[in-house]
Amino acid sequence: MDSLEVLVAQVQALSGSTDDLLHLHGLLKQLDDSLQQQQQHHQAIQQCLLQLDPAKHSLGFLYFLDAFGSADISMDQSESFISTSATFINASSVDQVRMAPEKFTNVCKRMRDETIRVQRPIRAISPLHIAIRKLQPSSEYLTPLHADLLQICLLAKCYKAALSVLDDDIFEIDQKKTGLTPKDFLLFCYYGGMAYVGLKRFEKALELFQHAVTAPAFVLNAIVVESYKKYVLVSLIQNGQVPNLPKYTPSVTQRNVKSCAPDYVEFASVYSTRNIGDLKRSILAHEEVFQKDNNLGLAKQVVSSLYKRNIQRLTQTFLTLSLQDIAETVQLESPKDAELHILQMIQKGEIHAIINQKDGMVSFLEDPEQYKTRDIAQQLHGQIQKIIGLAKKIRFADEQVSCDLAYLSKIGRDRPNYDPEEFEVVPQKGFTNL
Amino acid sequence: MESVSDSGPGATEQLDVDAYASLYTGRTRIVRLFFIADHTKSPSLELDALRMAFKEIKKGENTALFKEVVEKIGERLGPSFLLEQDWIDSVDRRAAQRLEKLEMELNGYKTNLIKESIRMGYNDLGEFHYARGDLQQAFKCYVRTRDYCTTSKHIIAMCLNVILVSIELGHFVHVSNYVSKAEQTPDVQDPAILAKLRCAAGLASLESKKYKLAARKFVETNFELGSSFSEVIAPQDVATYGGLCALASFDRSELKSKVIDNITFRNFLELMPEVRELIHDFYASRYASCLGCLQKLKPNLLLDIHLYDHVETLYEQIRHKALIQYTNPFISVDLNTMANAFTTTVAGLEKELAALIMENQIQARIDSHNKILYARHADQRNTTFQRVLQTGSEFQRDTRAMLLRANLTRQDFIVRATKKQTP
């Protein structure tokens, strides 16, 4: 008990300058084990927490809070834990928190678990969001909390809330600053993809799933396999086909991932025949697997995307076509169904057409977009700016690599007597041999 | 097929076997007759073919084929076409003696190491096996002469022999190999030999479904060919194969420059007036008569040993070409008129056109309500905008992925087995 009080006093005294904080951090690290052993004394720790100011004494507060969280928490204590953590996350000082990213992540994860336990995941969204911002050196950094926030958003079905972090492009991976692990990265891609699927932004979802599938790996990971399954289905919805995995996919994934998801591969091959009947049969045949993987809903969206795609193909071929003929070609049950489908597609802007109910004919029109509005010009400008930004990043990365010690020493080793002229000769030789 | 008379559609049904067979010599004559007998639906034609084959085989010494033909005939042609065991036995006996003698001679040459004689010995042995119908052995013997060839003439002879046997065996990969070998041999001047090589190359391309290449080879064939290659192909065949492949694969300008204005190939076409008319009809856009003519030719083409497999594909391609060419110059086409020109129904035509449009072979769209086909002129400005936007977003996506991956790799962020993973 006394030791705790001494510690509290030290925290209060040493939360001023940077040097003091470093000293305090060392102290806290030494005492961490004994703090963890205070598990039984919840009361005592809570008492200490009350004496500390989350904003001024963030580092010390964090260690106490972590000790609080690492013990078993009863149902009624969990309420106080959640609110204390939320207040702490809100008020804590960024500089102090970043000194112990692992501890901070631990506390946040614990809070996430508690909100799930009390079945109020929505409560964790806002604190986690703030926590991510406090942990990130810039919005391009990925933190271990990203995946947690996305998971919470999925559980709370607040997909829009996920956008606030998803819309930042993630480039920077830094283990030291954020305490990130490869698993966190995979989970981020997986949950992020799912959130985008929930928002029906399939293109972005595909991008994230592809990150997960192509992440560097020596062994096959369950998250990668699940991401691949979703990748297949979302590819079908978005593009109507599953592209080959990119060249840079790790070979272990390249070789094995398909055999881990045979049902999906077969489903995709049925899709490529464009036959609705076959596809429906296939979905029935694999229903159990899809259901087990929680992908049945997505699979059903794949089927409706085939209707859409088949109708879109007709617009390439015909100027006018009767509803009857459409129903036949697309294998819809009746002209009425065809009309409904086309109506929905017109509303969503997926095709441009006019339905003539009197004759039962549909006239397909050309895309009215003429690409001469200000909007288009602005859109183009925006895209170009983005690309210029990316180009800068590439140049920066290139410079970094060419100054990288490991890279330079490797290059030097492979080519001991580096001679520019000799370097020129190599490709030419290959060329003449052709 | 070369004897189609113009006396009405019924006349095309019956092939004049005598005239047909007289175009060929050697083994191919028998094999072609067999092929006709196997594939025709008319029993009288079948028996005609078999009768001729029987007589032809009797002239040679291929007893295996003799047994086969007798078995095929059964007893349908009366007592003079039954199995003659005496003949078989005597031929077999003589053949065995001859084989022994040839092998002995060859061994003698081999011990004396006289290159030219060894070559001759193998050649004789090859010819013997070929006549007896053992194509595999013949092929081996001919290939072996290769090591003993001393002049380019020998090499050419070897190549031609191998090509002949390979065609009979149906090994068309060998055919094209040896054609290129022969063509690489210096100072091949004889136009007849060049023509033979062209034909063989054409056949090989035809079999591997490279119709455009086949058309080129046939069209380039020199008329000096005459009947000198009758153990493989008749000049009439060159006209038919070349003409059909050209129709199926050449575009309009190629058709004009390489076929219609080609003086050498015109000589071949004179032998097959039907094919000539066909090509001219096609070029002059008289599709109804062209397609009608094709239909008339079809039954006989189906009896051709080399073309048989490809008739359907070639016909389909020719039809597609005709449809594409018909629509090409118009902004709008009335489907009724077009259906008349192709002697088909509007509904059928619509399906065919739709399929071609989906394959992007015709740039047009169908007004199914008014039955009119409208040409579609892609707005280049719009497509460029679309492409630019799409390429831009793809580039951004790929670059982002690349940067992220580069960072992952730099941080050594690799999914490993759980044991090694840092907690």
Side-chain angles (χ1 to χ4, degrees), chain A residues 58-344:
Chain A
S58 298
L59 191 63
F61 200 97
L62 180 58
Y63 271 79
F64 279 106
L65 197 57
D66 184 44
F68 185 10
S70 56
D72 293 326
I73 301 178
S74 64
M75 256 331 195
D76 29 307
Q77 277 174 328
S78 100
E79 178 56 40
S80 94
F81 180 75
I82 294 171
S83 55
T84 321
S85 334
T87 339
F88 166 69
I89 290 169
N90 245 328
S92 60
S93 121
V94 173
D95 294 332
Q96 295 193 23
V97 157
R98 278 193 204 153
M99 291 177 84
E102 280 91 3
K103 286 275 167 210
F104 190 59
T105 316
N106 260 352
V107 168
C108 292
K109 281 187 193 278
R110 186 66 219 225
M111 182 197 62
R112 179 206 60 182
D113 292 342
E114 288 308 312
T115 54
I116 295 174
R117 195 156 72 124
V118 299
Q119 296 181 336
R120 296 286 306 282
I122 202 164
R123 288 186 63 185
I125 293 179
S126 167
L128 277 175
H129 190 216
I130 296 167
I132 288 176
R133 294 290 177 231
K134 293 216 160 153
L135 204 53
Q136 279 179 321
S138 87
S139 68
E140 288 177 0
Y141 279 85
L142 185 66
T143 67
L145 296 177
H146 273 83
D148 297 313
L149 174 62
L150 292 174
Q151 190 199 13
I152 286 289
C153 289
L154 289 171
L155 284 172
K157 297 206 180 346
C158 298
Y159 305 125
K160 282 237 169 70
L163 279 182
S164 56
V165 291
L166 280 175
D167 278 345
D168 297 329
D169 291 326
I170 294 292
F171 295 110
E172 296 295 336
I173 303 290
D174 198 324
Q175 228 153 339
K176 283 196 203 82
K177 282 185 191 157
T178 55
L180 197 67
T181 62
K183 188 182 153 205
D184 292 324
F185 173 71
L186 291 180
L187 278 176
F188 163 72
C189 297
Y190 180 62
Y191 289 138
M194 277 166 70
Y196 272 129
V197 167
L199 290 164
K200 298 218 188 293
R201 285 174 59 177
F202 295 116
E203 203 180 335
K204 291 297 265 182
L206 214 52
E207 196 180 329
L208 281 172
F209 286 137
Q210 185 171 329
H211 283 330
V213 175
T214 58
F218 289 146
V219 289
L220 201 58
N221 186 300
I223 304 171
V224 171
V225 174
E226 291 304 315
S227 297
Y228 181 73
K229 290 174 181 172
K230 290 200 161 44
Y231 175 74
V232 169
L233 295 178
V234 176
S235 293
L236 290 178
I237 295 176
Q238 175 68 17
N239 301 321
Q241 55 187 349
V242 184
N244 286 330
L245 288 174
K247 280 203 293 291
Y248 48 74
T249 313
S251 57
V252 60
T253 314
Q254 191 94 273
R255 273 201 306 275
N256 302 320
V257 78
K258 280 194 183 159
S259 52
C260 289
D263 301 85
Y264 294 84
V265 174
E266 201 198 310
F267 190 61
S269 75
V270 173
Y271 190 97
S272 62
T273 63
R274 300 179 197 285
N275 188 325
I276 289 276
D278 287 353
L279 195 69
K280 280 187 172 164
R281 271 189 290 286
S282 171
I283 212 174
L284 276 181
H286 301 299
E287 190 170 358
E288 216 169 290
V289 180
F290 290 163
Q291 184 86 55
K292 202 183 86 215
D293 296 341
N294 282 329
N295 282 334
L296 193 59
L298 257 187
K300 282 182 177 151
Q301 289 190 51
V302 171
V303 174
S304 54
S305 84
L306 184 58
Y307 279 121
K308 216 183 289 174
R309 195 148 276 124
N310 281 342
I311 292 177
Q312 270 171 341
R313 269 165 67 87
L314 287 179
T315 67
Q316 300 300 311
T317 318
F318 291 96
L319 274 174
T320 62
L321 196 61
S322 69
L323 286 168
Q324 180 70 42
D325 282 348
I326 295 177
E328 263 169 41
T329 343
V330 190
Q331 296 177 10
L332 283 166
E333 270 167 31
S334 68
K336 207 82 203 138
D337 272 351
E339 193 181 329
L340 200 69
H341 264 90
I342 289 172
L343 193 67
Q344 282 170 352

Side-chain angles (χ1 to χ4, degrees), chain B residues 4-135:
Chain B
V4 181
S5 63
D6 289 331
S7 57
T12 57
E13 292 294 319
Q14 201 67 28
L15 186 75
D16 184 347
V17 186
D18 281 331
Y20 177 76
S22 69
L23 293 171
Y24 304 98
T25 54
R27 196 183 141 84
T28 195
R29 183 188 274 184
I30 302 163
V31 178
R32 279 169 187 264
L33 286 169
F34 270 14
F35 189 84
I36 290 173
D38 285 348
H39 287 84
T40 184
K41 289 186 187 75
S42 132
S44 69
L45 186 62
E46 183 188 347
L47 288 181
D48 276 351
L50 287 174
R51 187 184 300 121
M52 292 224 21
F54 184 90
K55 285 181 191 155
E56 188 63 32
I57 293 166
K58 272 300 277 289
K59 288 184 211 155
E61 45 195 19
N62 192 339
T63 47
L65 272 183
F66 184 74
K67 284 179 199 155
E68 199 182 327
V69 76
V70 170
E71 197 180 308
K72 275 186 204 276
I73 291 174
E75 291 180 348
R76 287 181 290 175
L77 284 174
S80 50
F81 291 94
L82 289 179
L83 195 65
E84 295 171 39
Q85 199 56 50
D86 294 349
W87 183 80
I88 293 178
D89 289 343
S90 74
V91 170
D92 278 351
R93 207 162 35 243
R94 253 184 291 136
Q97 284 166 358
R98 201 169 136 65
L99 178 65
E100 202 176 328
K101 183 172 153 259
L102 284 173
E103 276 176 347
M104 246 166 59
E105 277 175 12
L106 181 63
N107 280 333
Y109 300 143
K110 272 187 179 164
T111 41
N112 292 331
L113 280 174
I114 312 165
K115 262 192 158 186
E116 179 58 12
S117 304
I118 300 175
R119 191 184 72 85
M120 298 281 281
Y122 270 125
N123 237 346
D124 291 342
L125 207 56
E127 270 164 34
F128 168 78
H129 283 304
Y130 182 70
R132 290 283 292 159
D134 190 348
L135 297 175

Side-chain angles (χ1 to χ4, degrees), chain B residues 234-248:
Chain B
Q236 281 84 343
D237 290 343
V238 175
T240 321
Y241 298 170
L244 287 179
C245 289
L247 279 185

